[in-house]
Short mmCIF file of all heavy atoms in Angstrom, two decimals:
data_model
loop_
_atom_site.label_atom_id
_atom_site.label_comp_id
_atom_site.label_asym_id
_atom_site.label_seq_id
_atom_site.Cartn_x
_atom_site.Cartn_y
_atom_site.Cartn_z
N ARG A 55 0.82 -1.22 0.00
CA ARG A 55 0.00 0.00 0.00
C ARG A 55 0.85 1.27 0.00
O ARG A 55 0.46 2.29 0.53
CB ARG A 55 -0.90 0.02 1.24
CG ARG A 55 -2.04 -0.95 1.19
CD ARG A 55 -2.87 -0.81 2.46
NE ARG A 55 -4.04 -1.65 2.44
CZ ARG A 55 -5.27 -1.23 2.16
NH1 ARG A 55 -5.48 0.03 1.86
NH2 ARG A 55 -6.28 -2.06 2.18
N LYS A 56 2.01 1.22 -0.60
CA LYS A 56 2.87 2.39 -0.71
C LYS A 56 2.99 2.77 -2.18
O LYS A 56 2.94 1.91 -3.07
CB LYS A 56 4.27 2.12 -0.15
CG LYS A 56 4.30 1.87 1.33
CD LYS A 56 4.06 3.15 2.08
CE LYS A 56 4.25 2.95 3.57
NZ LYS A 56 3.89 4.13 4.32
N PHE A 57 3.18 4.05 -2.44
CA PHE A 57 3.28 4.55 -3.81
C PHE A 57 4.36 3.83 -4.60
O PHE A 57 4.19 3.49 -5.76
CB PHE A 57 3.56 6.06 -3.79
CG PHE A 57 3.49 6.71 -5.14
CD1 PHE A 57 2.29 7.16 -5.64
CD2 PHE A 57 4.64 6.87 -5.91
CE1 PHE A 57 2.21 7.77 -6.89
CE2 PHE A 57 4.58 7.48 -7.15
CZ PHE A 57 3.36 7.93 -7.64
N PHE A 58 5.50 3.57 -3.96
CA PHE A 58 6.61 2.90 -4.63
C PHE A 58 6.70 1.41 -4.29
O PHE A 58 7.77 0.82 -4.45
CB PHE A 58 7.94 3.59 -4.29
CG PHE A 58 8.10 4.92 -4.98
CD1 PHE A 58 8.18 6.08 -4.25
CD2 PHE A 58 8.18 4.99 -6.37
CE1 PHE A 58 8.34 7.31 -4.87
CE2 PHE A 58 8.33 6.21 -7.01
CZ PHE A 58 8.41 7.37 -6.26
N SER A 59 5.62 0.78 -3.83
CA SER A 59 5.65 -0.67 -3.60
C SER A 59 5.88 -1.37 -4.94
O SER A 59 5.16 -1.15 -5.90
CB SER A 59 4.34 -1.15 -2.99
OG SER A 59 4.18 -0.67 -1.68
N ARG A 60 6.87 -2.21 -4.99
CA ARG A 60 7.19 -2.95 -6.21
C ARG A 60 7.48 -4.39 -5.85
O ARG A 60 7.90 -4.65 -4.75
CB ARG A 60 8.43 -2.35 -6.92
CG ARG A 60 8.28 -0.91 -7.37
CD ARG A 60 7.20 -0.76 -8.44
NE ARG A 60 7.09 0.59 -8.95
CZ ARG A 60 6.27 1.52 -8.47
NH1 ARG A 60 5.51 1.27 -7.44
NH2 ARG A 60 6.21 2.71 -9.03
N PRO A 61 7.26 -5.35 -6.72
CA PRO A 61 6.88 -5.19 -8.12
C PRO A 61 5.41 -4.80 -8.26
O PRO A 61 4.61 -4.98 -7.34
CB PRO A 61 7.14 -6.56 -8.73
CG PRO A 61 7.02 -7.51 -7.60
CD PRO A 61 7.47 -6.75 -6.37
N VAL A 62 5.07 -4.27 -9.44
CA VAL A 62 3.69 -3.92 -9.77
C VAL A 62 3.42 -4.32 -11.22
O VAL A 62 4.29 -4.23 -12.07
CB VAL A 62 3.41 -2.42 -9.52
CG1 VAL A 62 4.21 -1.54 -10.47
CG2 VAL A 62 1.95 -2.09 -9.63
N LEU A 63 2.22 -4.81 -11.45
CA LEU A 63 1.75 -5.16 -12.79
C LEU A 63 0.53 -4.28 -13.04
O LEU A 63 -0.40 -4.26 -12.22
CB LEU A 63 1.37 -6.64 -12.87
CG LEU A 63 0.76 -7.11 -14.18
CD1 LEU A 63 1.79 -7.05 -15.31
CD2 LEU A 63 0.22 -8.54 -14.03
N ARG A 64 0.51 -3.56 -14.16
CA ARG A 64 -0.61 -2.66 -14.42
C ARG A 64 -1.09 -2.77 -15.85
O ARG A 64 -0.31 -2.99 -16.77
CB ARG A 64 -0.24 -1.21 -14.08
CG ARG A 64 0.84 -0.59 -14.88
CD ARG A 64 1.09 0.88 -14.51
NE ARG A 64 1.63 1.06 -13.20
CZ ARG A 64 2.92 1.23 -12.91
NH1 ARG A 64 3.81 1.23 -13.88
NH2 ARG A 64 3.31 1.39 -11.68
N LEU A 65 -2.39 -2.62 -16.00
CA LEU A 65 -3.01 -2.39 -17.30
C LEU A 65 -3.14 -0.88 -17.42
O LEU A 65 -3.40 -0.21 -16.42
CB LEU A 65 -4.40 -3.03 -17.36
CG LEU A 65 -4.49 -4.52 -17.12
CD1 LEU A 65 -5.95 -4.94 -17.03
CD2 LEU A 65 -3.80 -5.27 -18.24
N PHE A 66 -2.99 -0.33 -18.61
CA PHE A 66 -3.15 1.12 -18.72
C PHE A 66 -3.91 1.48 -20.00
O PHE A 66 -3.85 0.78 -21.00
CB PHE A 66 -1.80 1.84 -18.67
CG PHE A 66 -0.94 1.61 -19.89
CD1 PHE A 66 -1.05 2.44 -21.00
CD2 PHE A 66 -0.02 0.59 -19.91
CE1 PHE A 66 -0.25 2.24 -22.12
CE2 PHE A 66 0.78 0.37 -21.02
CZ PHE A 66 0.67 1.19 -22.12
N LEU A 67 -4.64 2.57 -19.90
CA LEU A 67 -5.32 3.18 -21.03
C LEU A 67 -4.98 4.66 -20.98
O LEU A 67 -5.21 5.32 -19.97
CB LEU A 67 -6.83 2.98 -20.94
CG LEU A 67 -7.67 3.72 -21.99
CD1 LEU A 67 -7.39 3.18 -23.39
CD2 LEU A 67 -9.15 3.59 -21.65
N THR A 68 -4.39 5.18 -22.04
CA THR A 68 -3.97 6.57 -22.09
C THR A 68 -4.63 7.27 -23.27
O THR A 68 -4.65 6.74 -24.38
CB THR A 68 -2.44 6.69 -22.23
OG1 THR A 68 -1.82 6.11 -21.09
CG2 THR A 68 -1.99 8.13 -22.37
N TYR A 69 -5.14 8.46 -23.01
CA TYR A 69 -5.62 9.34 -24.07
C TYR A 69 -4.73 10.58 -24.05
O TYR A 69 -4.47 11.15 -23.00
CB TYR A 69 -7.07 9.77 -23.84
CG TYR A 69 -7.51 10.85 -24.80
CD1 TYR A 69 -7.79 10.54 -26.13
CD2 TYR A 69 -7.58 12.18 -24.41
CE1 TYR A 69 -8.14 11.54 -27.03
CE2 TYR A 69 -7.94 13.18 -25.30
CZ TYR A 69 -8.21 12.84 -26.61
OH TYR A 69 -8.56 13.83 -27.51
N ALA A 70 -4.26 10.98 -25.22
CA ALA A 70 -3.44 12.18 -25.34
C ALA A 70 -3.94 13.03 -26.49
O ALA A 70 -4.47 12.51 -27.48
CB ALA A 70 -1.97 11.81 -25.58
N SER A 71 -3.78 14.33 -26.34
CA SER A 71 -4.09 15.25 -27.45
C SER A 71 -3.00 16.31 -27.46
O SER A 71 -2.40 16.62 -26.44
CB SER A 71 -5.47 15.88 -27.28
OG SER A 71 -5.55 16.65 -26.11
N TRP A 72 -2.75 16.85 -28.66
CA TRP A 72 -1.69 17.82 -28.80
C TRP A 72 -2.06 18.84 -29.88
O TRP A 72 -2.93 18.60 -30.71
CB TRP A 72 -0.35 17.16 -29.12
CG TRP A 72 -0.41 16.15 -30.24
CD1 TRP A 72 -0.13 16.37 -31.56
CD2 TRP A 72 -0.75 14.77 -30.14
NE1 TRP A 72 -0.28 15.21 -32.28
CE2 TRP A 72 -0.67 14.21 -31.43
CE3 TRP A 72 -1.13 13.94 -29.08
CZ2 TRP A 72 -0.95 12.87 -31.70
CZ3 TRP A 72 -1.42 12.62 -29.35
CH2 TRP A 72 -1.31 12.09 -30.64
N SER A 73 -1.40 19.96 -29.83
CA SER A 73 -1.71 21.04 -30.76
C SER A 73 -1.21 20.70 -32.16
O SER A 73 -0.35 19.84 -32.35
CB SER A 73 -1.11 22.35 -30.28
OG SER A 73 0.29 22.26 -30.21
N ASP A 74 -1.75 21.40 -33.13
CA ASP A 74 -1.39 21.16 -34.53
C ASP A 74 0.10 21.39 -34.78
O ASP A 74 0.69 20.75 -35.64
CB ASP A 74 -2.23 22.07 -35.44
CG ASP A 74 -2.27 21.55 -36.86
OD1 ASP A 74 -2.57 20.35 -37.05
OD2 ASP A 74 -1.97 22.34 -37.77
N GLY A 75 0.72 22.27 -33.99
CA GLY A 75 2.15 22.53 -34.14
C GLY A 75 3.03 21.35 -33.79
O GLY A 75 4.21 21.34 -34.12
N LEU A 76 2.47 20.32 -33.15
CA LEU A 76 3.24 19.11 -32.82
C LEU A 76 2.85 17.93 -33.70
O LEU A 76 3.35 16.81 -33.50
CB LEU A 76 3.05 18.75 -31.34
CG LEU A 76 3.62 19.75 -30.34
CD1 LEU A 76 3.36 19.29 -28.92
CD2 LEU A 76 5.10 19.99 -30.57
N ARG A 77 1.94 18.15 -34.65
CA ARG A 77 1.53 17.07 -35.56
C ARG A 77 2.77 16.51 -36.26
O ARG A 77 3.60 17.23 -36.77
CB ARG A 77 0.56 17.62 -36.60
CG ARG A 77 -0.03 16.56 -37.50
CD ARG A 77 -0.86 17.16 -38.62
NE ARG A 77 -1.95 17.97 -38.13
CZ ARG A 77 -3.21 17.56 -38.02
NH1 ARG A 77 -3.52 16.33 -38.36
NH2 ARG A 77 -4.14 18.37 -37.57
N GLY A 78 2.88 15.18 -36.22
CA GLY A 78 4.03 14.51 -36.82
C GLY A 78 5.23 14.37 -35.90
O GLY A 78 6.20 13.70 -36.25
N HIS A 79 5.18 14.99 -34.72
CA HIS A 79 6.30 14.92 -33.76
C HIS A 79 5.93 14.14 -32.51
O HIS A 79 6.77 13.97 -31.63
CB HIS A 79 6.74 16.33 -33.36
CG HIS A 79 7.27 17.13 -34.50
ND1 HIS A 79 8.54 17.00 -34.99
CD2 HIS A 79 6.68 18.08 -35.27
CE1 HIS A 79 8.72 17.83 -36.00
NE2 HIS A 79 7.60 18.49 -36.19
N VAL A 80 4.69 13.69 -32.40
CA VAL A 80 4.21 13.02 -31.19
C VAL A 80 3.64 11.65 -31.57
O VAL A 80 2.90 11.53 -32.53
CB VAL A 80 3.11 13.86 -30.49
CG1 VAL A 80 2.52 13.11 -29.31
CG2 VAL A 80 3.68 15.19 -30.04
N GLY A 81 3.97 10.63 -30.81
CA GLY A 81 3.33 9.33 -30.94
C GLY A 81 3.86 8.42 -32.03
O GLY A 81 3.33 7.35 -32.24
N GLY A 82 4.88 8.83 -32.73
CA GLY A 82 5.46 7.98 -33.75
C GLY A 82 4.56 7.78 -34.96
O GLY A 82 3.59 8.50 -35.18
N THR A 83 4.85 6.77 -35.75
CA THR A 83 4.16 6.51 -37.01
C THR A 83 2.65 6.35 -36.86
O THR A 83 1.90 6.90 -37.68
CB THR A 83 4.76 5.26 -37.70
OG1 THR A 83 6.17 5.51 -37.89
CG2 THR A 83 4.11 5.00 -39.04
N PRO A 84 2.12 5.65 -35.86
CA PRO A 84 0.66 5.48 -35.79
C PRO A 84 -0.11 6.80 -35.66
O PRO A 84 -1.28 6.87 -36.01
CB PRO A 84 0.45 4.62 -34.54
CG PRO A 84 1.74 3.94 -34.31
CD PRO A 84 2.79 4.88 -34.81
N PHE A 85 0.51 7.85 -35.15
CA PHE A 85 -0.18 9.11 -34.90
C PHE A 85 0.40 10.27 -35.71
O PHE A 85 0.15 11.43 -35.39
CB PHE A 85 -0.14 9.45 -33.41
CG PHE A 85 -0.76 8.39 -32.55
CD1 PHE A 85 0.03 7.48 -31.87
CD2 PHE A 85 -2.14 8.29 -32.44
CE1 PHE A 85 -0.54 6.48 -31.08
CE2 PHE A 85 -2.72 7.31 -31.65
CZ PHE A 85 -1.92 6.40 -30.98
N LYS A 86 1.17 9.99 -36.77
CA LYS A 86 1.91 11.04 -37.46
C LYS A 86 1.03 12.11 -38.10
O LYS A 86 1.45 13.25 -38.23
CB LYS A 86 2.86 10.45 -38.49
CG LYS A 86 2.21 9.88 -39.71
CD LYS A 86 3.25 9.40 -40.70
CE LYS A 86 2.55 8.86 -41.93
NZ LYS A 86 3.48 8.50 -42.95
N ASP A 87 -0.20 11.77 -38.50
CA ASP A 87 -1.09 12.75 -39.12
C ASP A 87 -2.23 13.14 -38.19
O ASP A 87 -3.23 13.68 -38.64
CB ASP A 87 -1.67 12.19 -40.42
CG ASP A 87 -0.58 11.93 -41.46
OD1 ASP A 87 0.35 12.76 -41.54
OD2 ASP A 87 -0.66 10.92 -42.18
N LYS A 88 -2.10 12.89 -36.90
CA LYS A 88 -3.19 13.12 -35.96
C LYS A 88 -2.79 14.12 -34.89
O LYS A 88 -1.62 14.45 -34.73
CB LYS A 88 -3.60 11.80 -35.32
CG LYS A 88 -4.08 10.78 -36.34
CD LYS A 88 -4.48 9.50 -35.69
CE LYS A 88 -4.94 8.56 -36.80
NZ LYS A 88 -5.42 7.32 -36.30
N THR A 89 -3.78 14.57 -34.14
CA THR A 89 -3.52 15.46 -33.00
C THR A 89 -4.13 14.89 -31.72
O THR A 89 -4.26 15.61 -30.73
CB THR A 89 -4.07 16.87 -33.25
OG1 THR A 89 -5.46 16.79 -33.52
CG2 THR A 89 -3.33 17.56 -34.39
N SER A 90 -4.48 13.61 -31.74
CA SER A 90 -4.95 12.94 -30.53
C SER A 90 -4.93 11.44 -30.76
O SER A 90 -4.84 10.98 -31.90
CB SER A 90 -6.37 13.39 -30.16
OG SER A 90 -7.30 12.98 -31.13
N GLY A 91 -5.04 10.69 -29.68
CA GLY A 91 -5.09 9.25 -29.82
C GLY A 91 -5.12 8.52 -28.49
O GLY A 91 -4.82 9.10 -27.44
N PHE A 92 -5.52 7.26 -28.57
CA PHE A 92 -5.54 6.35 -27.42
C PHE A 92 -4.43 5.34 -27.58
O PHE A 92 -4.10 4.92 -28.69
CB PHE A 92 -6.87 5.58 -27.36
CG PHE A 92 -8.01 6.35 -26.79
CD1 PHE A 92 -8.91 6.99 -27.63
CD2 PHE A 92 -8.20 6.44 -25.43
CE1 PHE A 92 -9.97 7.71 -27.12
CE2 PHE A 92 -9.26 7.14 -24.89
CZ PHE A 92 -10.15 7.79 -25.75
N THR A 93 -3.90 4.90 -26.45
CA THR A 93 -2.98 3.77 -26.44
C THR A 93 -3.26 2.97 -25.17
O THR A 93 -3.76 3.51 -24.18
CB THR A 93 -1.50 4.21 -26.52
OG1 THR A 93 -0.67 3.06 -26.64
CG2 THR A 93 -1.09 5.00 -25.30
N PHE A 94 -2.98 1.69 -25.21
CA PHE A 94 -3.24 0.83 -24.05
C PHE A 94 -2.20 -0.27 -24.03
O PHE A 94 -1.52 -0.53 -25.02
CB PHE A 94 -4.65 0.24 -24.12
CG PHE A 94 -4.89 -0.61 -25.33
CD1 PHE A 94 -4.66 -1.98 -25.30
CD2 PHE A 94 -5.34 -0.05 -26.52
CE1 PHE A 94 -4.87 -2.77 -26.43
CE2 PHE A 94 -5.56 -0.82 -27.65
CZ PHE A 94 -5.32 -2.18 -27.60
N GLY A 95 -2.10 -0.92 -22.88
CA GLY A 95 -1.15 -2.01 -22.79
C GLY A 95 -1.03 -2.55 -21.38
O GLY A 95 -1.81 -2.21 -20.49
N VAL A 96 -0.02 -3.38 -21.20
CA VAL A 96 0.31 -3.99 -19.91
C VAL A 96 1.75 -3.60 -19.61
O VAL A 96 2.60 -3.61 -20.49
CB VAL A 96 0.18 -5.53 -19.98
CG1 VAL A 96 0.58 -6.16 -18.66
CG2 VAL A 96 -1.22 -5.93 -20.39
N GLN A 97 1.99 -3.25 -18.36
CA GLN A 97 3.33 -2.83 -17.96
C GLN A 97 3.67 -3.45 -16.63
O GLN A 97 2.80 -3.59 -15.75
CB GLN A 97 3.35 -1.30 -17.85
CG GLN A 97 4.68 -0.74 -17.44
CD GLN A 97 4.59 0.76 -17.20
OE1 GLN A 97 3.64 1.25 -16.61
NE2 GLN A 97 5.59 1.49 -17.65
N THR A 98 4.91 -3.84 -16.47
CA THR A 98 5.38 -4.31 -15.18
C THR A 98 6.56 -3.45 -14.76
O THR A 98 7.30 -2.95 -15.60
CB THR A 98 5.77 -5.80 -15.22
OG1 THR A 98 6.08 -6.24 -13.89
CG2 THR A 98 6.93 -6.08 -16.13
N GLU A 99 6.71 -3.27 -13.47
CA GLU A 99 7.80 -2.43 -12.96
C GLU A 99 8.33 -3.07 -11.69
O GLU A 99 7.58 -3.47 -10.81
CB GLU A 99 7.24 -1.04 -12.66
CG GLU A 99 8.26 -0.02 -12.30
CD GLU A 99 7.65 1.34 -12.09
OE1 GLU A 99 6.49 1.60 -12.51
OE2 GLU A 99 8.33 2.18 -11.48
N THR A 100 9.64 -3.18 -11.63
CA THR A 100 10.29 -3.72 -10.44
C THR A 100 11.71 -3.18 -10.34
O THR A 100 12.25 -2.68 -11.32
CB THR A 100 10.31 -5.26 -10.46
OG1 THR A 100 10.74 -5.74 -9.19
CG2 THR A 100 11.20 -5.80 -11.54
#
C-alpha cells in the first residue's frame, strides 16, 4: 500500500491530445497525421 511498492503489474489506457504545431512529432508513425489518440497495454515495474 505504498506509492513505490514494487513489483507492480498494471493495465493502462492513455488518451493524449496535442496542438497542430506538434503534428508529426508526437506518438510515432501510428499518430503522425493526428492530434490525438488512445494507447493501451500492460506494464510491469520492479
